[in-house]
Amino acid sequence: MVGLDKNVRRDLLKLAGASVFATISGRAFSRSLSGSSLRSFDAAIDTALQEERIVGCCLVVAEQGQIIFQRAAGFADREAGRIATLQTPYRLASVTKLFTTMAALRLCAAGQLAPDDQVSRHLPNFMLQMKDGTQVYPTVGQLMSHTAGLDYRFQQPAGGPYAKASISDGLDRTAPTLAENIQRIAGVAVDIVPGTTWRYSVATDILGAVIERVAGTSLDVAIRDLVTGPLGLSVGFHTKDKSLATPYYDAGPVPARMSGLTNVPFPIFEGPGVSFDPGRIRDENAWPSGGAGAVGCARDVLTLLEAYRAGDFLPDKWRQQARAVRVGARAQTQGPGWGFSWMGSVLVDPQAAGSRWSKGSVSWGGVYGASWGVDFERGLTFVSLTNTTPEGLIGRYAQDLSAAFGALGS
């Protein structure tokens, strides 16, 4: 629909449902939450679609494990007129980290892996070198907390060390195998001593290789055996599903469709932009990126988050360890007041963050346009998947959802 007359776009949107928006909704109002507080989610979705800031989305919200709001809206493929549904799968990008880290924690709970293990214990050829030649040995826990001294290519200047080494962020097919990518990562001198500073990075891809070694199988099979299989989820690293949401990126006057390798500028990263290869998810030869390579539906992600929030999928000791603050608010992982845990950014100081979420809430997102949050104190969880970036991750739509989530119950 890019380039079409505004009235034509409006007419096509009307074809998507009874109203201007393609919508499948479900609500089960709880005693503690009013219908008016949940309507803020509808307002956020309706406004974003009406202003054509997002193309399609799915939002699911749960209270104490019970779904209280779910809605799919807009288009999974705008040009084809294919409507987004609750079952539409999306490229998860960094939401993948939830599944990889949960697999590692399940191995820890089984006594097969430990956060204090040096990575080199499981990957004998993996060690890092400082710029002065000093060798350093990050741990599994540092991989999970993103304090291993590593980086992402998209956070570095154009022509930076990772670009020169052709290191993949897990969103493209720059490196032929996971082993080769890890070898390239290890070949770049680090500028941060592991354990001293938080920096978002390719660490979860390395964690995936550790899981492969400990489980004795490929990462996709290990995650299936440890996480998605027991939970009955359809998440995977490759798909031929024709209902997969088509990715778009912010452009004027409406989001543009990704076509082939696409570079998208991101204001939150210092680098030249994020390089997307939408075809990667359909390439069975592409190695499984534990940090960015999975595909799944919103309900799949919600089920995993609920297994993390409550229940016996992980022993209580490890659930508490997973959400513990590993990096304080000084890191500002999502701005003032936010630190980091093993499973995502953790709210250390709600007042500094200007947030109505409870202290200890955990949140993160995915660069294809996803966000999620768990408020342990209130027993609330939400998952938002969109096919529009960066709006669905850091734009007004994501901000409106965060505000609506914080206001629940007030």
Side-chain angles (χ1 to χ4, degrees):
M1 286 161 50
V2 176
L4 292 181
D5 179 80
K6 184 176 181 180
N7 291 329
V8 175
R9 293 202 306 272
R10 179 200 61 202
D11 291 342
L12 287 174
L13 284 168
K14 285 182 178 180
L15 291 175
S19 67
V20 177
F21 314 114
T23 303
I24 299 175
S25 300
R27 293 154 180 78
F29 299 119
S30 68
R31 293 180 180 179
S32 61
L33 303 181
S34 67
S36 60
S37 65
L38 292 170
R39 280 194 287 272
S40 295
F41 293 118
D42 277 318
I45 293 171
D46 291 346
T47 302
L49 287 170
Q50 194 169 38
E51 296 177 357
E52 296 189 75
R53 288 184 282 107
I54 62 172
V55 176
C57 66
C58 184
L59 174 65
V60 185
V61 185
E63 181 190 26
Q64 303 297 347
Q66 299 297 312
I67 292 177
I68 57 173
F69 181 100
Q70 58 181 344
R71 180 178 175 189
F75 289 102
D77 188 309
R78 181 182 60 196
E79 289 72 23
R82 180 160 51 85
I83 296 170
T85 74
L86 295 175
Q87 291 75 40
T88 297
Y90 291 79
R91 294 166 177 84
L92 297 180
S94 284
V95 179
T96 306
K97 291 178 171 67
L98 288 170
F99 295 87
T100 305
T101 305
M102 179 63 82
L105 291 171
R106 292 266 283 174
L107 290 172
C108 288
Q112 296 177 272
L113 185 65
D116 292 336
D117 285 352
Q118 290 186 347
V119 176
S120 59
R121 175 180 177 181
H122 305 286
L123 304 177
N125 295 325
F126 183 83
M127 60 192 69
L128 300 176
Q129 185 170 290
M130 303 293 296
K131 291 183 177 181
D132 64 2
T134 303
Q135 288 185 338
V136 289
Y137 301 86
T139 66
V140 170
Q142 289 165 356
L143 293 179
M144 293 192 291
S145 63
H146 290 269
T147 57
L150 302 169
D151 205 347
Y152 262 127
R153 177 174 174 170
F154 58 70
Q155 294 178 152
Q156 298 182 346
Y162 276 31
K164 290 179 179 178
S166 295
I167 291 170
S168 172
D169 290 332
L171 296 165
D172 56 37
R173 287 173 276 190
T174 304
T177 65
L178 175 58
E180 175 62 27
N181 204 49
I182 290 176
Q183 184 177 351
R184 295 177 185 182
I185 292 168
V188 175
V190 297
D191 58 353
I192 294 175
V193 176
T196 62
T197 303
W198 182 86
R199 184 167 62 196
Y200 197 44
S201 72
V202 293
T204 315
D205 281 335
I206 297 171
L207 181 65
V210 171
I211 292 169
E212 286 189 336
R213 185 62 61 89
V214 174
T217 187
S218 62
L219 181 62
D220 52 346
V221 173
I223 288 181
R224 183 195 66 196
D225 292 345
L226 291 164
V227 181
T228 59
L231 291 175
L233 309 181
S234 59
V235 172
F237 286 91
H238 305 101
T239 184
K240 300 295 184 183
D241 194 335
K242 294 182 179 179
S243 68
L244 177 67
T246 298
Y248 298 81
Y249 63 96
D250 296 356
V254 297
R257 184 188 184 100
M258 288 190 190
S259 178
L261 195 62
T262 305
N263 188 78
V264 179
F266 265 70
I268 59 173
F269 302 131
E270 295 181 2
V274 178
S275 182
F276 293 89
D277 183 354
R280 189 185 196 278
I281 201 71
R282 297 192 184 278
D283 181 358
E284 293 183 352
N285 294 317
W287 50 270
S289 166
V295 58
C297 305
R299 286 286 293 270
D300 291 323
V301 181
L302 183 81
T303 299
L304 177 67
L305 288 173
E306 280 299 306
Y308 164 41
R309 185 190 67 81
D312 57 4
F313 190 67
L314 269 183
D316 185 64
K317 167 191 171 181
W318 289 103
R319 286 195 294 111
Q320 297 302 322
Q321 289 286 314
R323 57 180 286 204
V325 178
R326 304 293 166 178
V327 179
R330 69 185 182 279
Q332 298 194 25
T333 59
Q334 289 196 90
W338 287 90
F340 210 80
S341 66
W342 285 340
M343 291 289 278
S345 190
V346 59
L347 185 56
V348 178
D349 187 341
Q351 184 174 1
S355 175
R356 297 174 71 178
W357 295 25
S358 305
K359 183 177 180 179
S361 296
V362 177
S363 175
W364 205 241
V367 78
Y368 266 107
S371 63
W372 59 266
V374 180
D375 189 315
F376 296 92
E377 185 174 313
R378 294 186 295 158
L380 295 168
T381 305
F382 86 91
V383 175
S384 166
L385 301 182
T386 81
N387 57 354
T388 314
T389 190
E391 176 67 23
L393 172 63
I394 58 172
R396 178 183 161 194
Y397 175 68
Q399 296 167 18
D400 287 348
L401 292 186
S402 178
F405 186 68
L408 287 176
S410 63

